[in-house]
Amino acid sequence: FTAGIYPMDILLTVDRSGSMSDELSYIANSLGDFLDVLATSGVDYRIPATTQIDGRHEPGELWIDEGPSNKAALGLFQAMISETPSSKVVHHGLLRAQNALSAEHVEPGGCNEGFRRDGAMLHIVGVSNDADTSPYKKTPLEYLYVQQEGVKFPLEVVYHGVGAEMNCGDAGVYEGFLDVTSATLGMWVSICDDKWWTQLAGLANWMLERVDRRTYILADQPLETTLTV
């Protein structure tokens, strides 16, 4: 293997409930800072955002990448998150992401056709001011396991959260996404912090540190006597 910069597929699964208007406005205003960090690195990235439970996103452009200006990217992001789903599923962020990444949706003919690329890291960013209520049998990590089964290197699936780790103001604990973020060593942006939106550039840097791979999982135990530095 040769260490280097790997492409990143970044999926935003967004809570579009009425109480999220302020949070989404803050994110929109700081989106340019996030994109500037990625653009400066030279990494090849794709960013779709979805609010719908089936994982599709709007409008005609499939994702944000290094091509559009920040102004154009902002317009695209706002269009992607413009639809409000049913109140019954609005907090199903983990399930929404799983549906968006299903083979049915990313393979030819699907609504997210071409988004997932072989060799690209997968970053899933959950955004909500309340608990994730996606159904699961025993643990929210079941959603992580589904994504890991679809890639060659499980450590290249990383979850991140933009939400509350404790009750604060009108925000409830972002349960569910806390579990998968912790399990994958993702970054947590706490909306309980003052001016939390300024941390979005740091989220981009966190992602980039995971892109330049320096640790590789071996298929078997190494023969220590054969290793040299």
Side-chain angles (χ1 to χ4, degrees):
F1 295 97
T2 302
I5 298 298
Y6 284 72
M8 289 196 302
D9 295 337
I10 305 170
L11 174 67
L12 307 182
T13 173
V14 180
D15 172 356
R16 194 66 175 84
S17 55
S19 62
M20 281 289 294
S21 58
D22 287 344
E23 284 83 356
L24 295 181
S25 176
Y26 293 142
I27 290 175
N29 291 335
S30 301
L31 182 64
D33 296 334
F34 178 85
L35 296 176
D36 284 343
V37 172
L38 297 181
T40 300
S41 73
V43 69
D44 179 8
Y45 62 88
R46 293 177 175 178
I47 309 175
T50 181
T51 62
Q52 297 298 316
I53 191 59
D54 61 5
R56 63 181 175 84
H57 58 272
E58 303 291 345
E61 293 287 344
L62 289 176
W63 46 69
I64 298 169
D65 56 25
E66 61 272 20
S69 65
N70 282 357
K71 182 177 181 180
L74 174 59
L76 183 54
F77 172 73
Q78 291 175 326
M80 286 177 174
I81 65 168
S82 62
E83 294 190 23
T84 302
S86 163
S87 59
K88 295 181 180 180
V89 298
V90 72
H91 293 122
H92 287 10
L94 289 167
L95 179 58
R96 184 187 303 124
Q98 180 169 294
N99 289 340
L101 296 165
S102 67
E104 175 187 0
H105 286 173
V106 300
E107 291 180 353
C111 57
N112 302 326
E113 177 180 351
F115 168 60
R116 284 295 285 133
R117 297 169 290 176
D118 291 340
M121 293 192 67
L122 175 61
H123 292 268
I124 300 173
V125 184
V127 181
S128 181
N129 63 358
D130 212 338
D132 190 283
T133 56
S134 301
Y136 49 83
K137 294 180 179 180
K138 293 183 179 180
T139 169
L141 297 182
E142 293 163 13
Y143 289 96
L144 165 62
Y145 302 150
V146 169
Q147 300 309 321
Q148 289 179 329
E149 289 172 358
V151 298
K152 185 176 182 180
F153 299 104
L155 291 180
E156 293 176 7
V157 177
V158 188
Y159 285 78
H160 310 271
V162 179
E165 75 285 0
M166 59 183 178
N167 293 323
C168 60
D170 296 330
V173 179
Y174 196 6
E175 297 174 356
F177 249 89
L178 272 169
D179 298 81
V180 292
T181 298
S182 176
T184 59
L185 302 180
M187 180 172 174
W188 192 262
V189 176
S190 174
I191 62 175
C192 297
D193 296 343
D194 291 337
K195 297 183 178 180
W196 57 265
W197 51 90
T198 61
Q199 299 178 40
L200 294 180
L203 173 59
N205 277 310
W206 190 288
M207 291 178 176
L208 290 172
E209 291 196 5
R210 299 291 291 269
V211 167
D212 190 2
R213 289 203 304 244
R214 300 182 185 278
T215 302
Y216 300 93
I217 304 303
L218 303 180
D220 205 343
Q221 290 297 315
L223 299 175
E224 295 184 10
T225 57
T226 68
L227 301 180
T228 59
V229 178

